[in-house]
Amino acid sequence: MAQTVNDVTDLMSDKSRRSKASSPIPTAIKYFFMMLMLAMLLLILTMGGKALRDAPPAAIHVSTQGLTSVQYQALQKVMSQQKVSSFFTSDLQVLRDITISLAWVDQVSITRDWQRGIVVNALPKQAVANFGTERLVDAKGAVFVPADSRELTQDKFATLQGEMTQAPVIMQQMQQINGWYAPLNMRVEDIILSPRMTWLIRFDNGLRVIVDNENTAQKLLSLSQLLGNQLSARRDNIQSIDLRYKNGFTIAWNVEELPAETSNEPPAL
């Protein structure tokens, strides 16, 4: 009996100890540790922000890939004038906008590189023709001033003239004409679109053509067919052709030839 009482007493004592051991942590202590962890987190964030603010300005590295020496130097000069913050806080979009605003730049990529800093990669516009005497134009009709002035008025390029806003139209017209006249071994050397929308075209063989803005494509295409057929034997003797007539056209000859008859006078340029 005594043994049973002792066993019961020991069992109750064990339960009491387990109950004390599993008693919940006071709420005040929980809040204390939570506040301590929050304070440490805020301290870390504050110190990190201060480190970013106090970091030295990021280095800007201009890649030479795809650029001539003159283009590289021009871009390097612009980038050296920019005020940038640290490696992480520098606004890459601002640098991109500044780079793409350069008339001769076609594409821009700006990235962060641990070793080199902020890396600027730029590709220049590829000129396919002169636009007047002070600009170039690419295949999309974008007019620009090159970084190197020595690229202006290259002999290998045709020359386009007109309003800058009409540059894509002039470029497209030239490409179309070159396609029509390629079988005749003729290419456009100069093409002008006047304010009255009159086209003046000079080919590399010296032939000059004037055409208005009414059925322009059809007139030029028909002329290419005539030059390749009925007029092929006398093509070298033609100085200029005026297509601004509703019925027919006129030809100015290098030697004495009979001009084609016309029904009316051409309009003014």
Side-chain angles (χ1 to χ4, degrees):
M1 181 66 178
Q3 181 66 36
T4 302
V5 171
N6 289 336
D7 291 343
V8 172
T9 302
D10 291 341
L11 181 60
M12 293 177 66
S13 177
D14 290 341
K15 288 182 177 180
S16 176
R17 284 196 298 271
R18 285 198 299 270
S19 176
K20 290 180 180 179
S22 60
S23 60
I25 299 175
T27 303
I29 296 178
K30 285 185 177 181
Y31 282 130
F32 172 76
F33 280 109
M34 289 177 62
M35 294 300 293
L36 181 61
M37 292 178 63
L38 182 60
M40 291 179 63
L41 180 60
L42 290 175
L43 179 61
I44 292 172
L45 292 175
T46 302
M47 292 179 63
K50 186 177 185 301
L52 288 177
R53 290 193 301 270
D54 296 342
I60 299 180
H61 174 79
V62 177
S63 174
T64 59
Q65 186 174 5
L67 301 178
T68 65
S69 60
V70 175
Q71 291 168 344
Y72 168 77
Q73 292 169 8
L75 183 55
Q76 179 66 43
K77 181 179 179 180
V78 172
M79 289 295 102
S80 66
Q81 297 171 350
Q82 306 310 313
K83 294 182 178 180
V84 295
S85 52
S86 67
F87 180 82
F88 291 104
T89 60
S90 295
D91 193 334
L92 301 190
Q93 185 60 44
V94 171
L95 294 177
R96 184 186 183 281
D97 292 342
I98 292 171
T99 306
I100 203 68
S101 67
L102 298 175
W104 56 271
V105 173
D106 186 36
Q107 299 179 34
V108 179
S109 173
I110 299 182
T111 57
R112 291 183 173 90
D113 185 279
W114 282 109
Q115 295 181 340
R116 295 181 292 176
I118 297 175
V119 180
V120 180
N121 289 278
L123 292 177
K125 290 184 172 73
Q126 298 298 319
V128 297
N130 300 309
F131 195 85
T133 58
E134 298 180 351
R135 294 178 176 84
L136 299 175
V137 59
D138 66 9
K140 295 178 289 187
V143 179
F144 64 96
V145 177
D148 189 351
S149 60
R150 291 174 296 181
E151 296 180 20
L152 294 171
T153 60
Q154 298 188 44
D155 293 337
K156 66 178 180 179
F157 289 156
T159 298
L160 284 60
Q161 295 188 56
E163 297 291 336
M164 289 182 57
T165 55
Q166 296 289 335
V169 176
I170 302 174
M171 173 59 68
Q172 184 180 14
Q173 185 75 287
M174 184 186 75
Q175 292 171 338
Q176 195 171 43
I177 294 172
N178 281 336
W180 291 333
Y181 288 77
L184 306 176
N185 293 319
M186 295 171 58
R187 287 186 61 83
V188 173
E189 193 162 287
D190 295 288
I191 182 169
I192 301 172
L193 179 59
S194 75
R196 291 177 177 269
M197 303 302 289
T198 298
W199 294 90
L200 297 91
I201 305 157
R202 183 168 66 88
F203 291 91
D204 55 1
N205 66 348
L207 174 64
R208 296 192 299 274
V209 176
I210 303 175
V211 61
D212 55 16
N213 202 40
E214 185 176 347
N215 298 322
T216 305
Q218 184 58 50
K219 290 177 179 178
L220 290 170
L221 178 58
S222 298
L223 177 61
S224 69
Q225 295 168 349
L226 284 171
L227 292 174
N229 295 289
Q230 293 93 322
L231 296 174
S232 60
R234 304 164 67 183
R235 192 168 65 215
D236 293 338
N237 294 327
I238 300 175
Q239 184 181 81
S240 64
I241 300 176
D242 193 336
L243 301 175
R244 294 174 296 167
Y245 295 90
K246 292 182 180 180
N247 301 300
F249 54 89
T250 60
I251 297 177
W253 303 91
N254 288 323
V255 294
E256 188 176 348
E257 296 281 353
L258 291 176
E261 293 185 1
T262 59
S263 59
N264 60 332
E265 291 297 322
L269 291 179

